[in-house]
Amino acid sequence: MRATRIVIDQYRSIEHIDLTIPEGKPLVLFGPNNAGKSNIISAISRILGERFATYIEMQDSDYFMRDKAKYPNALIGCHFDSPYYYPKYGAPVCECYVQYCSESSQNTYCDSRGNKLYISNADRSAIQAYLVDAERSINYQLSYSSKYTLLSKFSHAVHAALSDDDRDSLNNAFTQIKSVFEGVSEYSTFADHFAETVKESVQGFVHKLEVDFSAYDPNNYANAMRILAKEGDDVRAFEEFGTGEQQVLLMAFAKAYMQTFGTDSIVLVLEEPEAHLHPLAQRWLKEYIYDLCASGIQVIVSTHSTDFVDPSNLEGAVRIWKDERGVTNATQLSLTALTKQCIQMGVPSGKASAMGIGRFYQAKLNAEVIRGLFARKVLLVEGATETLALPLYFKRAGFSPAAIGLEIVGCGGKGNMPSLYRLFTAYGIECFCLFDADESSCSNKELSSLLSISNMKLHTTSFEVGFNYAYFSTDFESTASDEIEGYPAMVQDAKQNYHINGKPAVARFVAELSTTVPSFVNELIAALAEPTAQPQAIAPAISQIEPVNYFDNDLDIPF
């Protein structure tokens, strides 16, 4: 069984979110702090976690907009690729929702149409989520604290696999072990005293209670097994291992369980798996997570690291953000919807297909571009000249791009700018384009059409600024030379005295050496400080269910 969709209505900061879980790849939730990623993780833990979701009480902070009086209900659901529940009458059900009410006694399992479901432990054990939170302690999951921990599930599976001969052999072995303990006077004396005390304490009760100190549980022989962490030949406590090692140990245990038994399905939920990891270790962990998904384990990740957003998994990359009301939104792009967006923004329909668009962006996206997906606004520039020089001029002018959530993204040439503009716009990220108007190597036609630029001013040293764009009438170097005193001499100094060649390196050298802020930089800063039109993020091309309409639409409440 595989989880296919997560639906959340009116829970904490979430009004309505519908997420599609990709097959064979992780679902990656990324976005700024306090955007609501943890609220999504909490909802998933409720519907797929070890406890009955209906028994988990709603705290005041769990109600939408923190207003229990106005929004007394919440709905969390999961869809599956095979039947999850078999009702006494009617067709099997491939979904499960929990509806929370202001009175916890009224909480109930239901389907997406509100029909009540009578979920059992057997139903729930068919697929279960295991959360590795920011604390990274795996002691709980590798213990017998409840029958739903990973170690408990493993021990039950092993116990069920034992033959009668296996059980006889274990009985004999455990009897021998017990006899050794009984030979220790301290053990036998305490056992006798304890048994006698219990016997005296329960007189008058209907049921008889006896105490037996055994080395095993005949109801589950495998409960005697323990997971030991070792460093060389020495046994270590889990706490002695780094947080990264702990989560990898748990993932390895889950993978081995699935490979061995393959009956119950596992969903691993990893909260900020990159925390406390070296950059190279983060990239290795990302590869390991993708291997886990390929082996059949589903993984859901919340992250602040660009390493976990992979160009080959655009459909699994979900941007989490809050709108002006403080309500959490999720932008997840299906390739079909992204293709439609590209066609609406000028790509000829005959040249666009979901497969082609997917492969195109997989080839085009790099670490620099992916960083832009984490920003509130991106400044798209042609290449290294701008990415190296502009930050120095911005700093000298007292402007911090990071302070307003701005990322400078090099496009690798003007010809790539339209495709990246379409992608960031589809994700609902504000875009501002900066480019050279010189057409010696690339025409301005596509960009001017995309950005609605008419009557471009060409072949001068001027700098032109529009609503969501700015351009150098010729190129960066021509305008900089015109506005920075001593520019030609600094360029010559870089080449002759420091052997610095190439436009990007020279531009950075001049920016470091110059003591002035060119006027085009001030104009650019003023334009970037103004909000551009908020792009309309597109919805995934999947079937949507109607949200349960048990709330009104008055959302004028601060979060």
Side-chain angles (χ1 to χ4, degrees), residues 151-214:
L151 185 57
S152 292
K153 289 172 74 76
F154 166 69
S155 69
H156 281 290
V158 171
H159 179 80
L162 294 174
S163 67
D164 290 340
D165 289 341
D166 294 330
R167 295 168 191 261
D168 290 339
S169 297
L170 287 171
N171 279 330
N172 292 331
F174 285 137
T175 299
Q176 293 179 9
I177 293 172
K178 184 180 178 182
S179 67
V180 174
F181 279 106
E182 290 172 340
V184 178
S185 61
E186 288 83 357
Y187 174 90
S188 57
T189 300
F190 175 82
D192 291 341
H193 285 315
F194 185 64
E196 185 63 28
T197 301
V198 170
K199 183 177 179 181
E200 293 173 354
S201 301
V202 298
Q203 289 183 9
F205 284 82
V206 175
H207 296 94
K208 182 180 179 182
L209 180 64
E210 293 183 353
V211 176
D212 179 25
F213 282 82
S214 298

Side-chain angles (χ1 to χ4, degrees), residues 484-500:
I484 298 175
E485 185 177 356
Y487 184 88
M490 286 186 279
V491 171
Q492 185 177 12
D493 188 29
K495 294 180 178 180
Q496 293 183 356
N497 297 328
Y498 296 97
H499 305 288
I500 297 174

Side-chain angles (χ1 to χ4, degrees), residues 423-446:
L423 178 70
F424 285 115
T425 300
Y427 267 108
I429 299 170
E430 293 183 56
C431 286
F432 193 98
C433 296
L434 174 65
F435 59 96
D436 296 341
D438 176 28
E439 295 186 291
S440 59
S441 59
C442 182
S443 170
N444 296 320
K445 183 178 179 180
E446 187 177 8

